[in-house]
Amino acid sequence: MPIQKAAKCWLTLSFFFFVATVSAQIVDLETLGKGKVFKLGGGVSSNGVFYNSNHEQGRQPFTYFLQGNLNISFYQFSMPISYSYSNQGEQLNYNLPFNLNRLSLHPKYKWIQGHIGDIAMSFSPYTLNGHQFTGGGVELTPKGPWKVSAMAGRLLKATEFDGDEQTIPAFQRMGYGLKVGYEQERYSVGVIAFYAKDDINSIAGVPDEQGVTPKENLVLSLEGSYKVLENLQVNAAYATSGITQDLRADELKRGQGNLAGIFLNDRMSTQYFDAFRGGLDYSFDKSTLGIAYERIAPGYETLGAYFFNNDFENITLNTSTVLFDNKLNLTFNIGYQRDDLKNQKESSMNRTVGSLNATYNASEVLTLTGSYSNFTTFTNAKVNQFEIINDDNLLDDQYDVLDYKQLSQNANLNINYMLSKREDLQQNLNINYALADVSNAEDGIVRIGNASTFHNGNVSYTMGLPNRNMNVTSALNGTINTIGIEDSTTWGPTLNINNKFFDNTLNTNFGASYNTSNSGITKTNVTNIRASLSYVLKEKHNFHFNLIQLFKHHTTGNRSELTITFGHSYSF
């Protein structure tokens, strides 16, 4: 039996071993007679969305959502059931390799948690990380140091290519995973194995231009932490991934020296990558300090995640402290990142990131918050030196512009002042300002048109009448945006009224806003009217209705959009 099949069988047998453990524990009779015998609870909801516009938007005119969860418990055994169903996918004229509608069961007995149906689990960022699958999983968290998680199921369903550009063809992909952890007071260690493989015969075939090939992936990971002192802890994680990009490629006799290569059959299209993350956390008095390092090799990939960034190295430092009798909270972060770790790209990039967040509780009625962040990205082009030597154009200065730098700054200031807080009248004033600035520099020079600045200001006043269960909010919003050499402004008022009736069982809300935008070339006026109702019946039924009417007047024409959302939820 090939080693890769042995690894697959090992993971599968381990999974079913733990499922069998669940079954054995459920019949434990020691808990009979303790607590309430049978409980039934949960909730269901149904919602509909109606949309209409005088312009083609590509949205369905009516969409409904049915969701619910049911929890059945018998002594210490419980069976949560959840579902989500919608007609969003019914009108699609193309195929997808996953289910839009979901049904899942999550049986639990003491420290045994199961997952069955359309579910998602996460082991670590480098192995299995939130990928939906149809199958089963189990998490074992008994008293003691050992913790175990396992899964098995279909990651992608077989999807034939039908010629439609939007169709996502895929081979059927099965996945298996196991995570074993050992935790003590001062340290913890963990081992993770994840394996996925496509079925070559699950679909007839995919045109080469689609770039879809049958794949195989094995990821092994080690992680751990150690508390050096009571207030000092270090942690680290290492993962190695072996991925075969095309199972149809010829096999190789000699394996790679990678850890994953010990269990994976080598082919011409097999590649091996690794990832590492380490950190240190230190706390003292009312302050904390953290240092982290992360390195992801170029091309690192796992079939247990939908998307994965690779080819970068991160170094980050973060700290937080409290000053002035806990009135001032400060948080500071700074980091450095670079890519092109193997010097293979035509251009390399590195950037520094810094941010500062502060909250100052000046008094019971006045709170100030502010933040600032600075992103600086450097891009350096790599020029072939022979192209420079053989260049016969003495006036050609294209090689002089090699250094490209992007500067990005963001700042925010918020002032919240409580004008009054009486039983019959509450008043609040809020002022907010935000700045976003981006500029591109070549050889240290920011040329005209290579910068943009965004200013946003908001002033709002809220008046509350507790005796009438009413709140009234009025606000004025404004923005000034400069993109290149073009300026644009947007401003407008907003009014919102909220009122509750019948012992707070009926909640009503009405809002209206108007804003006008002027870019010097075009002018746009937008009127937005919003209304909502929600009613609670016998503390179990909740009925809600929402309406949004939008009128947009543009120099090129007028547009109107109506969105109505209504629904009902019931809890028991």
Side-chain angles (χ1 to χ4, degrees):
M1 178 184 293
I3 296 179
Q4 56 141 27
K5 291 184 178 180
K8 175 180 176 181
C9 292
W10 172 67
L11 291 172
T12 306
L13 291 174
S14 300
F15 170 75
F16 286 110
F17 168 78
F18 292 118
V19 172
T21 304
V22 173
S23 302
Q25 289 292 333
I26 289 177
V27 298
D28 182 5
L29 302 179
E30 293 182 359
T31 59
L32 291 181
K34 300 179 181 179
K36 192 173 181 179
V37 177
F38 181 80
K39 293 181 182 179
L40 179 64
V44 295
S45 66
S46 58
N47 297 276
V49 180
F50 172 79
Y51 176 81
N52 183 54
S53 174
N54 61 351
H55 279 65
E56 181 64 33
Q57 296 293 318
R59 288 181 55 177
Q60 298 183 30
F62 178 73
T63 307
Y64 64 83
F65 301 89
L66 303 176
Q67 296 175 316
N69 60 85
L70 178 68
N71 188 15
I72 304 172
S73 62
F74 181 75
Y75 287 109
Q76 297 187 47
F77 173 78
S78 63
M79 174 68 82
I81 303 172
S82 62
Y83 68 88
S84 176
Y85 184 82
S86 172
N87 68 332
Q88 277 187 315
E90 292 183 355
Q91 299 182 16
L92 298 178
N93 54 4
Y94 55 91
N95 299 319
L96 298 173
F98 51 84
N99 298 326
L100 293 175
N101 300 315
R102 303 182 182 183
L103 172 65
S104 60
L105 290 78
H106 307 273
K108 184 176 182 180
Y109 179 74
K110 292 185 177 180
W111 43 266
I112 304 171
Q113 174 75 68
H115 307 283
I116 304 171
D118 301 310
I119 54 179
M121 297 178 67
S122 294
F123 288 173
S124 76
Y126 309 127
T127 54
L128 177 66
N129 189 23
H131 198 297
Q132 180 186 340
F133 64 93
T134 301
V138 63
E139 297 177 75
L140 307 178
T141 57
K143 292 182 180 180
W146 292 100
K147 313 294 178 186
V148 178
S149 299
M151 59 77 62
R154 186 190 67 197
L155 300 173
L156 296 176
K157 63 180 180 180
T159 306
E160 297 279 0
F161 181 68
D162 56 6
D164 193 296
E165 294 182 354
Q166 294 179 293
T167 292
I168 303 178
F171 294 88
Q172 177 173 286
R173 177 174 298 166
M174 300 298 294
Y176 312 86
L178 177 66
K179 178 179 181 179
V180 180
Y182 184 83
E183 301 177 2
Q184 290 287 4
E185 183 178 354
R186 295 187 65 89
Y187 68 91
S188 66
V189 292
V191 179
I192 302 173
F194 173 76
Y195 176 77
K197 184 179 181 181
D198 292 344
D199 183 356
I200 299 179
N201 301 317
S202 58
I203 59 177
V206 182
D208 293 338
E209 57 269 19
Q210 292 294 318
V212 177
T213 58
K215 298 183 178 183
E216 182 181 26
N217 180 219
L218 175 64
V219 188
L220 301 176
S221 177
L222 301 173
E223 58 185 17
S225 65
Y226 181 72
K227 186 178 290 186
V228 182
L229 301 171
E230 190 63 30
N231 57 347
L232 177 62
Q233 179 172 295
V234 295
N235 58 80
Y238 173 77
T240 174
S241 176
I243 184 165
T244 299
Q245 300 292 348
D246 193 340
L247 284 169
R248 299 166 298 187
D250 295 335
E251 289 191 18
L252 297 176
K253 294 182 179 180
R254 297 183 61 183
Q256 301 287 337
N258 189 286
L259 180 61
I262 300 176
F263 304 97
L264 193 66
N265 279 352
D266 267 337
R267 296 180 181 273
M268 293 291 294
S269 63
T270 302
Q271 298 173 299
Y272 296 93
F273 312 98
D274 57 9
F276 174 79
R277 172 179 52 82
L280 179 148
D281 297 304
Y282 178 63
S283 60
F284 55 97
D285 296 331
K286 297 180 180 180
S287 304
T288 61
L289 175 66
I291 301 174
Y293 173 80
E294 184 178 25
R295 187 184 190 280
I296 311 297
Y300 187 97
E301 184 181 2
T302 170
L303 299 184
Y306 289 105
F307 178 77
F308 200 89
N309 285 322
N310 58 59
D311 192 13
F312 69 84
E313 184 179 53
N314 274 338
I315 302 175
T316 58
L317 170 68
N318 62 82
T319 181
S320 64
T321 188
V322 180
L323 303 172
F324 306 133
D325 295 329
N326 299 330
K327 289 187 176 182
L328 178 61
N329 291 272
L330 291 175
T331 302
F332 175 73
N333 297 274
I334 188 170
Y336 173 80
Q337 183 183 91
R338 72 180 184 96
D339 70 347
D340 193 24
L341 301 183
K342 292 187 176 181
N343 198 30
Q344 296 174 332
K345 296 182 179 179
E346 294 183 359
S347 63
S348 62
M349 183 191 73
N350 61 80
R351 65 175 183 173
T352 58
V353 180
S355 66
L356 175 66
N357 296 274
T359 300
Y360 181 59
N361 298 308
S363 65
E364 294 183 357
V365 298
L366 178 62
T367 302
L368 306 175
T369 59
S371 65
Y372 173 79
S373 63
N374 187 306
F375 299 82
T376 305
T377 303
F378 298 88
T379 302
N380 300 311
K382 300 177 183 177
V383 180
N384 188 325
Q385 297 300 317
F386 290 100
E387 292 181 2
I388 300 177
I389 295 173
N390 298 328
D391 184 15
D392 59 357
N393 186 357
L394 299 179
L395 300 179
D396 187 1
D397 61 352
Q398 61 174 319
Y399 302 113
D400 294 336
V401 185
L402 302 180
D403 295 326
Y404 178 82
K405 181 167 66 175
Q406 184 180 71
L407 308 174
S408 177
Q409 301 181 85
N410 293 273
N412 181 270
L413 175 64
N414 183 274
I415 303 173
N416 191 78
Y417 184 68
M418 188 175 295
L419 299 173
S420 65
K421 189 178 181 180
R422 304 199 310 262
E423 292 184 358
D424 60 337
L425 177 63
Q426 296 180 358
Q427 299 178 87
N428 190 79
L429 179 66
N430 186 273
I431 302 174
N432 187 79
Y433 169 74
L435 167 69
D437 180 79
V438 178
S439 60
N440 301 322
E442 296 178 3
D443 287 345
I445 301 175
V446 180
R447 293 175 170 80
I448 297 176
N450 284 349
S452 63
T453 305
F454 177 82
H455 301 271
N456 176 262
N458 171 275
V459 179
S460 64
Y461 167 77
T462 301
M463 179 181 65
L465 303 173
N467 296 335
R468 298 183 180 181
N469 293 322
M470 177 184 290
N471 288 308
V472 180
T473 301
S474 59
L476 181 64
N477 304 279
T479 64
I480 301 175
N481 194 7
T482 301
I483 302 178
I485 58 176
E486 182 179 337
D487 295 335
S488 63
T489 59
T490 303
W491 68 275
T494 298
L495 177 66
N496 192 80
I497 302 174
N498 177 267
N499 204 355
K500 296 181 180 180
F501 303 93
F502 308 127
D503 295 329
N504 296 330
T505 58
L506 177 63
N507 188 9
T508 64
N509 191 84
F510 175 79
S513 64
Y514 172 83
N515 62 76
T516 178
S517 302
N518 193 335
S519 65
I521 301 176
T522 61
K523 185 176 182 179
T524 304
N525 299 321
V526 179
T527 302
N528 193 319
I529 300 174
R530 303 176 303 278
S532 66
L533 293 170
S534 65
Y535 179 68
V536 178
L537 177 63
K538 296 183 178 180
E539 299 182 352
K540 293 185 176 182
H541 296 271
N542 188 298
F543 301 88
H544 64 87
F545 175 87
N546 300 276
L547 180 147
I548 300 177
Q549 177 66 66
L550 178 71
F551 299 99
K552 188 173 184 179
H553 302 278
H554 195 269
T555 53
T556 58
N558 300 328
R559 191 178 74 186
S560 65
E561 296 181 25
L562 174 64
T563 304
I564 298 176
T565 304
F566 53 91
H568 164 255
S569 62
Y570 172 68
S571 60
F572 54 93

